[in-house]
Every structure is written in structure tokens, then in C-alpha cells.
Amino acid sequence: MVVHPRPAGSPPLTEDEFGVLYRRLLSSAAWAAGDRGALAALTPARVLAATREVRTGRTVTLAAPVETLPGPDNPEPAKHRMSGQPEEDASSGLHFARDSFAMNVHGDADSHIDALCHVIYDGTLHGGVSASSVTADGATTLSIEVARDGIVGRGVLLDIPRLRGVPWLEPGDHVTADDLIASETAQHVRVGEGDLLFVRVGHRRRRAELGAWHAAEARAGLHPSALEFLAERRVAVLGGDGNNDTAPSSTEGVGFPVHVLAVHAMGLHLLDYLQFEDLEPVCEAEGRWSFLCVIAPLRLPDATGSPVNPIAVL
């Protein structure tokens, strides 16, 4: 394997430069302007073709366990409460163990998917829909219900730490389009139209080995200019083991430029805070980085996202 050292990096974007990039991506993604956004690329023919990626039948999760303890990156963890009566005598007769969960879907620890109504930019949602469609009772359009039938397609994992010969990218580092192209070459895979693209920055491995940190203030992610690679390839979904956005932001005046470009301009459902530490060694051992992927968000008709457990089938 040829190791690619960390590049000098793309420079920060000014607000004007970001505006030009935003308009360019908005124009190039006009085909994804409907309610389903870029999921329109997942035609029955492409889903059928993706099933041919299955060779061994092995399944691997891309999600991290839901956490119930607070941490620097998870001050509002999921609440898990047993709602049965565990103290009762269950030695005879019929009894049920029951529980309930409550969670902040869009936190910095739990794996989740962002709906197209999640990002409000200059008063609108994806496709120019008014931000007023998101009310105190939920989203009246573009909710995660758009993906109620599941998201099934060819998944591709691009491993940037593997490319650079490091265990993870340090917080504040970013992935460029050149990184994505070089990773394709190193892994002998090509991202194609309708693919579900997963980009590993090593966030989960760093967290496991060094402990949690305030990821809202410092994390590795994609440089906004890397979204032009996704637009050119017409990918259907973007997922990462971090937030997909770098922190601190690389764009003047825009805190989450990748979210704005991906969700708002391009109609991409984003998957944040996945984990690829189970999948990466399997792909390495099998010598292939593409697979059938099945994503099944919960049916939450008015929600801006959902907890998620994507499954790779190799």
C-alpha cells in the first residue's frame, strides 16, 4: 500500500467563495430537487445491481451503540428506563420486561440520519421549501418519512486514515476531493451514480483510544470543496464516522458548510457519527470496499432525522 501523507490542505473559504460553491452545486444537483432529493438516483435497476455486491452473505453494522452516560461530546445522552417491574417475583407465571427510550437525535455521539428538513439556510429548506413548514409539532414536508421504504444501494467505504498511513485524522483536519480520488485508486474502487458513500476519518477509533472530547468544537470532516466530487459522481447518500463537517468550520460565517451544501443544495441525506471499525477490517481482509447497504430509518412522520443502524452486506 502506498501511503499518502497529509496534504497541505485546501484554504478556508470566504462567505463569497462559499456562495459561489453553493450556487454551483445547487445548479449541478437540479436533478435531485424533488421531495426525495438525491435518493432519486436509487432506481430499481440500481438497487437490483447493488444486490450483486453480495458474495459471502456476511452482515456488518455501521452504527455505534446508543450511549446513556453523559460525556464531553454527549451532554444529553439517551435516557433508557425500565418500565416494567423488575422487583416483582417472576419465578412463575407470565411476565414482560419492558423499557422506554428518549434521545436527542442530532447529537455528537449517537449514529443518526439527517432528513432534508434538518437544514434551514436563508429561510428555506432543500428545494426552496419555506422554513415555516417546520413547526413546533414537527416537519410538514421533507421529513425522514421520505425514506420510509428504506435506503438500499451499493455502499462504498473510502478510508482516509488508511490512505495517509495514520490511525485517524486529528480534529480540525479535513478531507479533500483529492483525498477521495486517491483513496479510490488505493482501494481499487470507484464511486458511481446512486452509490451510498461512506468516508472514514477515524473519529470513532480516536474516541475509543483517547477518550471522548468536545467534538462540537474540534473534529475532522470534509472540506466543503470535496462536495464537488460527490456532485460529479451523483451519489445518493453521504455518511461519516464524525459529523461530516470539520470543526472549527473552514468557511467564514457558516458553521456547518458541508451540511448546507449536502442537505440543502444537493438533497443528500447525511448519516453522522457512524462507526466503521467493524467494517474496515472485513473490507481489508476481503480486498474490496463496496457492498450492499441497507438503511432503515424509524418511521417518524414529522421528524428531522432518526436513529439509524445501517447494515453492510458483503
Side-chain angles (χ1 to χ4, degrees), residues 118-299:
H118 176 51
V119 176
I120 300 170
Y121 184 62
D122 286 344
T124 65
L125 310 179
H126 168 69
V129 175
S130 173
S132 64
S133 62
V134 180
T135 72
D137 295 320
T140 61
T141 187
L142 301 180
S143 77
I144 199 59
E145 180 73 358
V146 163
R148 63 184 174 273
D149 295 318
I151 301 171
V152 180
R154 177 180 181 255
V156 176
L157 175 63
L158 296 183
D159 190 341
I160 307 306
R162 178 183 186 272
L163 175 75
R164 297 191 190 171
V166 296
W168 54 72
L169 304 192
E170 289 294 343
D173 200 352
H174 53 248
V175 177
T176 67
D178 286 345
D179 284 324
L180 299 177
I181 294 168
S183 190
E184 282 186 311
T185 300
Q187 296 174 211
H188 307 289
V189 69
R190 180 177 172 82
V191 177
E193 186 169 356
D195 281 352
L196 319 182
L197 175 60
F198 300 101
V199 180
R200 178 176 179 267
V201 298
H203 180 100
R204 289 289 181 182
R205 180 174 173 184
R206 187 183 194 277
R207 188 176 188 266
E209 294 190 17
L210 301 184
W213 70 96
H214 200 328
E217 294 183 353
R219 61 180 178 268
L222 274 67
H223 191 275
S225 62
L227 272 293
E228 295 205 80
F229 171 90
L230 279 71
E232 177 188 333
R233 302 298 178 87
R234 290 196 172 190
V235 302
V237 166
L238 172 63
D241 51 347
N243 174 262
N244 288 296
D245 262 296
T246 303
S249 174
S250 58
T251 300
E252 178 184 284
V254 182
F256 295 86
V258 169
H259 275 65
V260 173
L261 297 174
V263 179
H264 195 279
M266 299 170 62
L268 289 172
H269 285 75
L270 286 191
L271 288 90
D272 296 332
Y273 294 106
L274 302 177
Q275 67 85 22
F276 305 126
E277 306 316 302
D278 294 332
L279 179 62
E280 189 272 339
V282 175
C283 289
E284 189 76 68
E286 296 195 8
R288 60 192 180 106
W289 300 85
S290 60
F291 42 86
L292 176 68
C293 188
V294 179
I295 304 168
L298 299 179
R299 290 203 64 180

Side-chain angles (χ1 to χ4, degrees), residues 59-146:
T59 60
V60 184
T61 179
L62 277 62
V66 174
E67 298 187 5
T68 57
L69 296 177
D73 58 350
N74 198 18
E76 188 184 349
K79 295 179 175 61
H80 179 207
R81 182 175 66 87
M82 299 304 294
S83 54
Q85 297 179 347
E87 71 280 358
E88 69 183 15
D89 181 8
S91 60
S92 63
L94 175 64
H95 302 266
F96 294 98
R98 293 176 289 129
D99 46 11
S100 63
F101 283 90
M103 68 184 300
N104 169 24
V105 172
H106 299 288
D108 289 311
D110 294 320
S111 303
H112 63 271
I113 183 171
D114 293 341
L116 298 183
C117 61
H118 176 51
V119 176
I120 300 170
Y121 184 62
D122 286 344
T124 65
L125 310 179
H126 168 69
V129 175
S130 173
S132 64
S133 62
V134 180
T135 72
D137 295 320
T140 61
T141 187
L142 301 180
S143 77
I144 199 59
E145 180 73 358
V146 163

